[in-house]
Amino acid sequence: MLKERGRLCFSLASDQLIREARSPLRGQSMEMKTHRTPQDNGGISWGVGDSEQDDQLRENKSNVKKKKKKKSSGLEEGCQAVRPLSHPSDARCQWNVWVPRDISAMTNSCVVIPCTFMYPSGIRPYRGIHGIWYFGQPYPQLFPPVVFKSRTDVVHESYKGRTKLLGDLHQRNCTLLISNIGAEHSGRYYFRADLGGANIYTYQDFAELKVLDQPNVDIPEEIVSDESLELTCYAPDNCPEMTPEIQWMYTDYLPDPEFSTDYLQESNTAVLSSTLTFVPRPMHNGQLLGCRVYYPNTTLVYERLVSLDIKYSPRSVWVNVSSEVMEGSSVMLHCEVDSNPPPRISWIFGEQELLWDTASNLSLSLDDVTPASEGIYTCVGDNGYGVMNTSLYLAVKYPPREPVVNDSMTVLEGTSLALHCSTEGSPAPTLTWLKDGELVGTITADKLSVLDIMEITPQGDGQYRCLAENEHGRASSSLNITVECECLVILNSEEIDAPVLLEDSKCTVVREGVQCVCMATGNPEPVIEFYLPDQNITINETDSRYNFYTHTDGHMSTGMIKLREKGERFNNGGPAVNVHCSISNMYGRESVLLELQQESESKAAHQN
């Protein structure tokens, strides 16, 4: 029954009083607070007086009187007309006040604080009903600033000429008007009823006034690109003398903006609102919007600017263009990402994350680059609203490395060979095969070149070099090929390997003296020496007294000397010459006396 006993009592005129209090605010609602005595509600506090002890004593006396009259017909008659129809038997009137808990107004305008109060029906005011409005706190003994006082015009200096009681206290209407308000008037306002004698009561419920120097703009905590956005601007409308109007500023750049107005009640305060609706784009991030509140036919204008913080996924990732750098140099890779909020930027090479940071740009420094540094570098931007990436290719240029070729080898005549040459370089080098300094095969622009030699002949014997070249340098490697032939010499019906003296080997008398020529074949080619037994002299490459000359062509060797002295003559008048030719290789050695022919005989032989 406690809940029902605590219901508020209304006088016969209470509905009318509430309507009158709301009328200046065009329908503003108010909070209603109920106060019950400690005797009625188990010690619940319900208000304060001039002092805590005096007020408590007065209230206790009043409560005693009410208890004595509780069953009297006068109390029943005083509350009967205002009992709620659903609870006709237990509702009783108490000390109550109806004020808006929160109310706001613009600076230099005015505000009306609606107020309706009730007091126990057992109290009979004498000498009229008076009221006081306090600012800040409800305790008179602490001397709070007096906002309004019905008995006198003595008020706090900051409220002189600013306040007026719009309500009729005898009709229990305590509505207050405050004009030309400033920021210093923001705070709590308490009403105190004085019914004479001990019946003085300060209601603990208050109306808190907020004086604004700019309108409030309701902005969502998160604004996302391409999603519909609503911004609402509020202007309090609690001054009956002036009606505000709202205007949005800097909306020309917005795509298809829509505007709507509404009149609403917020925390028991009459508020005019204007809502701006549009779909923001990334380009609108950081743009300013403004709400202007003004009062027609006055100079009062209030503005509020807001900066749009629009969240959007990365819409562009910029990196260096693909580039070429020399081996051993340094390079800086730059990445910039356009997003809000700033993204987590990372540089990726292959499967490895090289560097990351939360920023709008990130640079990756590569020092002393090597061919292993060549490849695709990817910059990734991720800010939680989306992911975007862009890649570049870094090419590392370097001269050819030393080619890798076959080892030197000895092969039999008629063998087929494949000579390989491989190298690395950037750009890809050209590969050229040279034999004894002369071009063989074709020039290849690749990392591998193969020189095929089919059925090699003795002429294929020699040095083979692979030359690698590109615009940054050159390198080469060589190998030697020795071609062997298996020569069969039939001697005494036995087959042996040995050099063979050719029949053109001889000595010829010429004008300068005697010229001896020795020719032989073998594999490897034979070494030729001349021996003069009469003088016990051996003539070879280390002896130049006799114009020694030797020449090798494949497996054939030719040696030649010139003897200045013609020597003694035989009976036929010819010179006496005794020259031996020695031919040798690993398979054998032979020495032959060269036949001497006269120059005329030689010419005749050639003519025949």
Side-chain angles (χ1 to χ4, degrees), residues 451-524:
L451 176 62
D452 292 315
I453 304 176
M454 307 303 294
E455 298 181 354
I456 192 168
T457 64
Q459 288 75 17
D461 189 288
Q463 184 188 67
Y464 290 78
R465 184 163 68 102
C466 178
L467 176 63
E469 296 179 289
N470 68 11
E471 60 191 74
H472 303 296
R474 62 170 56 187
S476 66
S477 296
S478 301
L479 73 148
N480 292 316
I481 296 180
T482 301
V483 181
E484 297 180 345
C485 70
E486 187 173 357
C487 300
L488 301 179
V489 178
I490 303 177
L491 183 61
N492 298 326
S493 299
E494 295 182 1
E495 293 183 359
I496 60 174
D497 294 330
V500 177
L501 184 68
L502 300 181
E503 61 181 7
D504 289 337
S505 300
K506 60 191 175 185
C507 290
T508 305
V509 177
V510 295
R511 291 181 182 181
E512 294 83 1
V514 176
Q515 176 178 289
C516 297
V517 176
C518 181
M519 303 175 66
T521 62
N523 187 14

Side-chain angles (χ1 to χ4, degrees), residues 39 58-70:
Q39 293 83 350
R58 292 168 185 160
E59 291 164 3
N60 289 342
K61 290 180 180 179
S62 176
N63 290 332
V64 171
K65 292 179 179 179
K66 287 192 291 181
K67 284 186 176 182
K68 291 180 179 179
K69 298 179 179 181
K70 182 177 180 181

Side-chain angles (χ1 to χ4, degrees), residues 65-66 69 75 93 119-124:
K65 292 179 179 179
K66 287 192 291 181
K69 298 179 179 181
L75 178 61
C93 298
Y119 54 85
S121 58
I123 296 178
R124 295 295 181 263

Side-chain angles (χ1 to χ4, degrees), residues 507 514 516 529-540 543 545-546 561-565 576-582 591-594:
C507 290
V514 176
C516 297
E529 294 179 335
F530 292 93
Y531 177 64
L532 304 179
D534 296 336
Q535 303 177 28
N536 194 23
I537 296 175
T538 300
I539 303 172
N540 53 31
D543 194 338
R545 288 178 297 172
Y546 300 94
I561 61 173
K562 287 184 179 180
L563 302 177
R564 299 289 182 181
E565 298 296 335
V577 176
N578 188 10
V579 178
H580 289 257
C581 175
S582 176
S591 181
V592 179
L593 176 62
L594 297 179

